[in-house]
């Protein structure tokens, strides 16, 4: 028997791979409720490249039971239901709304009903299109903490900026501040055990979202927590595209200058950021928190003259725990449908499903000025080539396409419409963000914020190269081949 196995190991391995692939295909077709495009793409990969496909499916393709991903307890459910009631009361009082906001009531209701997204108008917002300004403000606010710090990032590295934050967290917890740090086990796989031990020893509570049995090699590459949330004393919150790492400060020569957008929020929406953090924290660590002390009705105003005042806002989260709902995508679609003048989109990854593609095509046909800005360099080649394909397709319908500065990397995830409404957060315009990752965005109903975001976009155009239809059509055959293969695989990228 031993000799048989030794002599036939290759045949046994191949047979096992085919059996695993066959069972995977059966599971995809009959058990997992995925889109037709994603199912076909995985079946194609498993059949045409059995060995590679088997590895990829184990790493990226396996589904998990979503029924128990997040069990919201009765107290939390009560908070969310009260938020919806509060939203309905506010929207019935039209005197509290900007005149141009009234026509977005249906969008606010849709997000409130599908996502329990509280609508508030008592908010101040400061935009940070420069990562240096964001990190400077973040460090300053962390140092001011008196009661608690809740901090959550997809990527948290213990490099120069990471260690500055770690030192502040340790100092704060040693001075009586409650500190909780939640990081994603895949995104933050380079966060060292030494730093984690150092934080825990000092008294910082640390949680790793969806870990594997191995730190560096994690086979659970789907269903990652891509959110970036900071809440300080329930008074100040941060949300946006930046993670914690030196490359976000432009210190990685591979990417050069890093262009991202982050928000600093004070006001009632900080409560909603904190709710989202605590739901994630309780799922990850099972810590039973006393919720009352984190949701006191306290507000604070920014003294910064550049801040936008009295902003209407909804904090919208999405993830695979919400079966058959893609809430942030619904918000994007609603914005696109309601646009009459312009739609400006910035995203590092632009991989669309049919609903978003059709919505943007209809907007172009309707005379809306649709502008899409993506990076000029890839961080993930297949995703970059697929993004180029989807963006290039829209050129035929009248959209304008811009590649951001070739000496920099565009990582911002923003959309702004008609100087009325904009969204800034963690969700890219891609299938992974809509269906596989846990994301969070701030949808803001304010001409103040929208005009600022439009100005940021228009300033970025000055550093970008416009890709015309003629330019796109003249791309090389090799580029066309890469785009075609990447687009075919796009539902699983």
């Amino acid at each position: 028997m031993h000799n048989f196995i030794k002599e036939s190991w290759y045949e046994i391995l191949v047979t096992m791979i085919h059996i695993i692939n066959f069972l995977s295909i059966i599971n995809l077709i009959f058990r997992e409720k995925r889109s037709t495009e994603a199912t076909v793409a995985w079946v194609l990969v498993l059949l045409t490249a059995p060995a590679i496909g088997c590895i990829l499916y184990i790493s990226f393709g396996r589904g998990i039971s979503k029924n128990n991903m997040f069990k919201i307890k009765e107290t939390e459910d009560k908070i969310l239901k009260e938020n919806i009631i509060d939203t309905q009361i506010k929207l019935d009082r039209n005197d509290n709304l900007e005149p141009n906001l009234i026509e977005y009531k249906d969008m606010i209701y849709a997000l409130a009903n599908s996502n329990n997204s509280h609508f508030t108008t008592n908010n101040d917002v400061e935009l940070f299109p420069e990562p240096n300004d964001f990190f400077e403000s973040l460090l300053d606010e962390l140092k001011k903490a008196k009661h608690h710090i809740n901090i959550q990032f997809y990527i948290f590295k213990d490099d120069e900026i990471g260690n500055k934050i770690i030192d502040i967290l340790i100092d704060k917890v040693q001075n009586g501040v409650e500190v909780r740090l939640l990081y994603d086990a895949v995104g933050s796989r380079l966060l060292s055990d030494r730093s984690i031990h150092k934080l825990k020893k000092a008294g910082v509570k640390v949680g790793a979202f969806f870990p594997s049995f191995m730190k560096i090699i994690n086979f659970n590459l789907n269903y990652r927590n891509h959110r970036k949330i900071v809440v300080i004393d329930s008074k100040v919150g941060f949300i946006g595209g930046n993670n914690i790492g030196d490359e976000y400060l432009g210190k990685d020569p591979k990417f050069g200058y890093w262009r991202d957008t982050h928000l600093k929020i004070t006001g009632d929406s900080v409560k909603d950021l904190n709710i989202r953090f605590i739901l994630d924290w309780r799922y990850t660590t099972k810590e039973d928190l006393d919720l009352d002390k984190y949701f006191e009705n306290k507000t604070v105003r920014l003294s910064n003259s550049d801040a936008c005042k009295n902003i209407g806002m909804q904090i919208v989260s999405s993830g695979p725990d919400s079966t058959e709902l893609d809430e942030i995508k619904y918000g994007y679609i609603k914005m696109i449908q309601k646009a009459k003048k312009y739609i400006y989109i910035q995203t590092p990854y632009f991989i669309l499903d049919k609903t978003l593609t059709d919505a943007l095509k209809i907007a172009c046909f309707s005379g809306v000025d649709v502008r899409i800005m993506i990076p000029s360099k890839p961080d993930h080649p297949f995703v970059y080539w697929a993004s180029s394909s989807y963006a290039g397709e829209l050129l035929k319908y009248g959209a304008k396409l811009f590649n951001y500065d070739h000496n920099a990397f565009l990582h911002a995830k923003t959309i702004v419409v008609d100087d009325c409404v904009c969204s800034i957060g963690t969700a890219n315009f891609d299938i992974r963000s809509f269906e596989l990752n846990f994301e969070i965005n701030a949808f803001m109903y304010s001409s103040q914020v929208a005009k600022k975001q439009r100005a940021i976009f228009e300033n970025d155009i000055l550093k970008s190269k416009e890709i015309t239809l003629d330019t796109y059509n003249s791309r090389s055959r090799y580029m066309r081949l890469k785009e075609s293969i990447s687009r075919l695989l796009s539902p699983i990228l």
Side-chain angles (χ1 to χ4, degrees), residues 57-119:
Y57 184 76
I58 291 172
S59 299
F60 294 98
R62 293 176 302 127
I64 58 174
S65 175
K66 300 177 184 179
N67 296 331
N68 296 318
M69 282 298 292
F70 277 73
K71 289 184 176 179
I72 302 175
K73 294 188 177 181
E74 185 177 354
T75 307
E76 296 159 335
D77 207 22
K78 182 180 177 182
I79 291 172
L80 296 175
K81 288 177 180 177
E82 287 175 351
N83 284 347
I84 291 181
I85 294 171
D86 189 42
T87 291
Q88 292 171 335
I89 292 171
K90 279 192 168 71
L91 287 176
D92 288 336
R93 299 174 183 167
N94 289 342
D95 57 318
N96 288 340
L97 309 178
E98 290 184 34
N100 62 352
L101 175 60
I102 294 174
E103 65 178 284
Y104 287 93
K105 285 177 65 174
D106 58 338
M107 176 176 167
I108 297 170
Y109 273 128
L111 292 175
N113 289 324
S114 66
N115 192 247
N116 298 327
S117 299
H118 190 201
F119 174 73

Side-chain angles (χ1 to χ4, degrees), residues 153-160 162-163 166 181 183-197 199 208 214-218 224 244-248 252 255:
F153 282 92
Y154 172 63
I155 296 173
F156 196 111
K157 295 182 178 179
D158 48 357
D159 49 17
E160 183 177 353
N163 278 316
I166 287 171
L181 169 63
Y183 63 89
D184 184 84
V186 167
S188 300
R189 61 190 176 276
L190 298 181
L191 179 62
S192 70
D193 291 334
R194 175 183 55 81
S195 291
I196 295 171
H197 177 73
L199 285 160
M214 300 177 69
K215 181 176 175 65
I216 300 298
I217 302 174
N218 192 319
R224 305 318 316 177
I244 303 301
D246 287 346
E247 66 264 37
Y248 297 90
D252 187 339
F255 297 109

Side-chain angles (χ1 to χ4, degrees), residues 280-380:
D280 286 1
W281 178 263
R282 288 179 65 149
Y283 166 75
T284 303
T285 67
K286 308 301 185 289
E287 181 183 1
D288 190 16
L289 297 173
D290 176 10
L291 298 178
D292 291 339
K293 66 179 180 180
Y294 298 103
F295 299 121
E296 296 176 345
N297 291 320
K298 293 182 179 179
T299 59
V300 64
R301 292 294 184 189
L302 286 174
S303 60
N304 191 319
S305 59
D306 292 331
C308 299
K309 307 289 185 179
N310 300 318
I311 306 305
M313 184 182 301
Q314 285 176 291
I315 301 298
V316 181
S317 57
S318 65
D321 52 314
S322 299
T323 53
E324 300 180 359
L325 288 179
D326 302 324
E327 297 93 328
I328 292 177
K329 186 182 79 170
Y330 295 164
Y332 287 167
I333 292 173
K334 198 69 176 175
M335 290 174 69
I336 293 167
Q337 290 174 335
K338 297 184 76 66
K340 296 180 176 64
K341 298 175 183 177
Y342 75 84
I343 303 166
Y344 292 172
I345 297 170
Q346 289 181 312
T347 179
Y349 314 126
F350 192 72
I351 297 177
L352 307 181
D353 61 11
K354 184 170 175 55
T355 54
L356 271 169
T357 301
D358 288 346
L360 287 168
K361 288 178 181 178
I362 292 170
C364 291
F365 282 140
S366 303
V368 178
D369 181 11
V370 177
R371 302 189 183 191
I372 300 157
M373 188 178 294
I374 60 176
S376 59
K377 62 173 70 174
D379 63 338
H380 303 294

Side-chain angles (χ1 to χ4, degrees), residues 169-238:
L169 298 182
I170 290 173
D171 176 70
K172 285 287 138 182
V173 79
Q174 290 176 343
N175 283 278
V177 177
E178 287 186 11
V179 181
R180 292 176 176 84
L181 169 63
L182 178 60
Y183 63 89
D184 184 84
V186 167
S188 300
R189 61 190 176 276
L190 298 181
L191 179 62
S192 70
D193 291 334
R194 175 183 55 81
S195 291
I196 295 171
H197 177 73
K198 179 180 175 183
L199 285 160
K200 290 181 176 179
K201 184 178 180 181
V204 176
K205 297 182 179 180
V206 181
F209 186 89
F210 205 5
S212 179
F213 63 93
M214 300 177 69
K215 181 176 175 65
I216 300 298
I217 302 174
N218 192 319
F219 293 107
N220 300 318
L221 297 182
N222 284 337
Y223 309 112
R224 305 318 316 177
N225 198 320
H226 196 240
R227 294 168 181 152
K228 295 94 177 171
I229 300 171
V230 180
V231 176
I232 300 163
D233 293 344
S234 298
K235 295 180 180 180
V236 179
F238 291 89

